Amino acid sequence: FLILEELFEELSDPEEFVLSTENGRITAEGENFSAVFSPEDLILVEAKFPAFETKFTFSDFEFVQAE
C-alpha cells in the first residue's frame, strides 16, 4: 500500500509526472511509475512500478463523496 500512497502523492503534484494521450488512453509517466486512466471519466485503470516489478489493475473503481 505504500507504493500506491506514493503514486497518489505524485499524482497530486502536476510537476511530478508527464501526462499524454495516445491510442485512446490517458497516461501519466513519473520517475518511478506509469498510470493509465479511463478517457471517459479519468478513473485509474492501471499502475505500474517497474523498479518494484509490480503492476496494479483496477476495476469497478469509483469516486464517492466523503460523509
Side-chain angles (χ1 to χ4, degrees):
F1 292 105
L2 294 175
I3 297 171
L4 287 176
E5 180 182 22
E6 177 79 18
L7 171 70
F8 292 122
E9 284 178 11
E10 291 194 27
L11 287 173
S12 69
D13 183 356
E15 294 183 9
E16 294 291 324
F17 62 92
V18 175
L19 194 61
S20 63
T21 57
E22 195 174 297
N23 298 326
R25 296 169 56 142
I26 299 172
T27 304
E29 295 280 342
E31 185 176 330
N32 300 314
F33 73 91
S34 67
V36 177
F37 298 88
S38 165
E40 294 86 26
D41 45 21
L42 297 178
I43 290 178
L44 183 62
V45 175
E46 177 182 284
K48 293 181 185 178
F49 304 88
F52 298 106
E53 297 180 358
T54 302
K55 174 182 171 183
F56 294 95
T57 56
F58 303 91
S59 63
D60 299 325
F61 189 88
E62 66 180 272
F63 294 104
V64 294
Q65 187 174 9
E67 295 180 13

